[in-house]
Amino acid sequence: MPDPMPVVLLAALPGIDTLGPAQLSGSACVWCEHAFRPGEGINLGSPGPFRPHGCVLCCEARTNSLSTYLTWYDHTVTCLRCPFGPCEPGQALGTAHLAVRERAGHPPVCCAACRTTIAPGESLRPHFWREEPWPMFGYLHARDCPASASRPTTP
């Protein structure tokens, strides 16, 4: 596996407040807690005192998850059909990404707009936005969020 770009894997890091001392110091994988021998582990870089490292398997899983996400996202922004619900290729790309994401151990998918969990089989789309210090990769319901129907509308 080529060295992943640190900013890419930093975007996939668990919250710093959820990590133990070994993970914070870089002597254990930030995802699976595998303890490293000297020289083992991939340095994910960090702007502060936090020294995140990942094991090869976890880094590969997150890199694959991000790669399938970006392929799906690229399709949805160029496809004329996908804004109205996923086309067949878009559906296949989304299904492939969600399978890779699940194998990577990511938590359930939540809608970035309404913050509800998107159930398996429910139609969704990737949503990318810029947030400092790095890009955010999320998901939205493919059509209107169910929570928006319960919100009162202003006249």
Side-chain angles (χ1 to χ4, degrees):
M1 176 180 94
D3 283 344
M5 290 178 40
V7 71
V8 168
L9 292 176
L10 276 173
L13 286 178
I16 291 175
D17 58 337
T18 66
L19 301 175
Q23 292 167 299
L24 290 169
S25 71
S27 61
C29 177
V30 293
W31 294 290
C32 73
E33 300 181 42
H34 167 74
F36 297 128
R37 289 176 270 157
E40 189 180 24
I42 297 171
N43 183 355
L44 303 176
S46 175
F50 173 45
R51 299 286 176 238
H53 282 67
C55 69
V56 172
L57 291 177
C58 286
C59 287
E60 187 175 72
R62 268 103 191 135
T63 300
N64 289 341
S65 178
L66 184 59
S67 175
T68 59
Y69 177 93
L70 293 173
T71 300
W72 180 30
Y73 176 81
D74 287 347
H75 170 81
T76 63
V77 297
T78 59
C79 177
L80 298 176
R81 168 75 173 87
C82 280
F84 304 102
C87 67
E88 194 172 313
Q91 181 71 38
L93 291 168
T95 300
H97 166 68
L98 293 173
V100 169
R101 185 180 192 285
E102 186 176 334
R103 285 193 301 273
H106 291 294
V109 174
C110 285
C111 177
C114 71
R115 298 284 189 216
T116 60
T117 299
I118 299 175
E122 198 173 348
S123 192
L124 74 155
R125 62 188 171 98
H127 179 67
F128 168 81
W129 66 102
R130 293 216 175 266
E131 185 74 33
E132 292 300 323
W134 46 67
M136 302 297 288
F137 305 98
Y139 306 88
L140 295 171
H141 285 96
R143 293 191 176 81
D144 292 334
C145 295
S148 64
S150 64
R151 289 187 206 129
T153 56
T154 8

